[in-house]
Amino acid sequence: SLHHNAPDDVSHQIELDLPRTHPELMAEEQRSLLRRVLNAYAARNAVIGYCQGMNFLAMVFVILGFPETTVFAGLCYIVEDLLPGCHGRSLEGYVRDASVLDVLVHHLLPEVHQQLDATDVSLNMLALDHFLSLMAGKWSFATVVRLWDFVLPEGSPAIFASFVALLELYFPKPAEIAAGGSEAAPACESPADVMDSFRRACLRGVTEDIDMVLLHARKWLDVIPQSLVDSLRAEIS
């Protein structure tokens, strides 16, 4: 009955997002379950309420066939334990985690960090889907399940480690960016072009060889323990 207590404006936004949440993968009964879970969460946690991206998070558990109580618990785990504050109304937790990610990339992938600066690409924009929906709205469902099989048992560090792996493997190298420009201005791609190139490379890479991506993510997980994530989050907050 908790789902009846969600604020009207939140329920309205959820109704707008439901038809956009992989309608080809969900039957009407599953959409109804998703609606109840999202409204129940908004009623339970008024500070967060509902944020776009949470629909895709809950959707994964729904499509996998979990009962409603488990879908609700899974959503709570991701939103409150793995990504605390990331789905708040001002996304303050995400801004914090994007800063944590920036520190990690600076130390672990200095050449990529230099290239991010050189192309004026913001990690804030680049990592948004990875953190807010764990790619559930962007990658194929089978690929998302593989990512989640890695992330859910390992916790927050796996979210950072998997994105570091994607940057390592797929962020455009300087020569690739130069080759994409015109003869008159060989390095003139905009930040939006660079981000689009990265996202397309990621999608192609995870579709063709998700095992390799996860292998690299596990390598980075070894140097991104929970204690490091916690200390960086506390320092930046």
Side-chain angles (χ1 to χ4, degrees), residues 98-164:
S99 296
V100 171
L101 180 64
D102 185 72
V103 172
L104 293 172
V105 174
H106 179 76
H107 287 285
L108 301 175
L109 297 174
E111 291 182 0
V112 171
H113 196 271
Q114 288 175 1
Q115 191 62 11
L116 285 162
D117 287 342
T119 53
D120 202 26
V121 170
S122 165
L123 277 175
N124 244 341
M125 295 296 297
L126 200 63
L128 192 66
D129 291 320
H130 193 84
F131 279 75
L132 293 193
S133 68
L134 298 182
M135 300 313 295
K138 300 297 181 181
W139 293 354
S140 73
F141 189 75
T143 306
V144 168
V145 170
R146 291 293 309 281
L147 174 67
W148 285 38
D149 279 344
F150 169 63
V151 166
L152 294 188
E154 300 291 352
S156 297
I159 301 175
F160 290 95
S162 53
F163 196 78
V164 169

Side-chain angles (χ1 to χ4, degrees), residues 108 145-155 157-166 168-169 210-225:
L108 301 175
V145 170
R146 291 293 309 281
L147 174 67
W148 285 38
D149 279 344
F150 169 63
V151 166
L152 294 188
E154 300 291 352
I159 301 175
F160 290 95
S162 53
F163 196 78
V164 169
L166 292 172
E168 175 193 24
L169 292 168
I210 185 63
D211 288 328
M212 181 183 69
V213 174
L214 294 176
L215 187 67
H216 281 254
R218 289 198 177 278
K219 172 190 71 176
W220 292 118
L221 186 65
D222 290 340
V223 294
I224 309 176

Side-chain angles (χ1 to χ4, degrees), residues 5-7 9-11 13-14 17 37-55 57 72 74-94 96-97 131-132:
N5 298 326
D9 61 328
V10 172
S11 292
Q13 185 59 56
I14 290 170
D17 287 346
V37 166
L38 293 173
N39 277 286
Y41 187 84
R44 173 186 180 272
N45 189 338
V47 173
I48 290 178
Y50 170 75
C51 170
Q52 288 177 318
M54 289 170 62
N55 51 325
L57 294 175
F72 184 79
L75 180 62
C76 291
Y77 172 61
I78 294 174
V79 171
E80 297 173 10
D81 294 343
L82 299 192
L83 295 165
C86 286
H87 298 85
R89 297 184 193 281
S90 61
L91 302 183
E92 64 279 356
Y94 174 66
R96 175 206 63 217
D97 279 358
F131 279 75
L132 293 193

Side-chain angles (χ1 to χ4, degrees), residues 59-70:
M59 174 208 73
V60 173
F61 296 113
V62 172
I63 294 175
L64 288 173
F66 287 106
E68 190 165 335
T69 53
T70 305

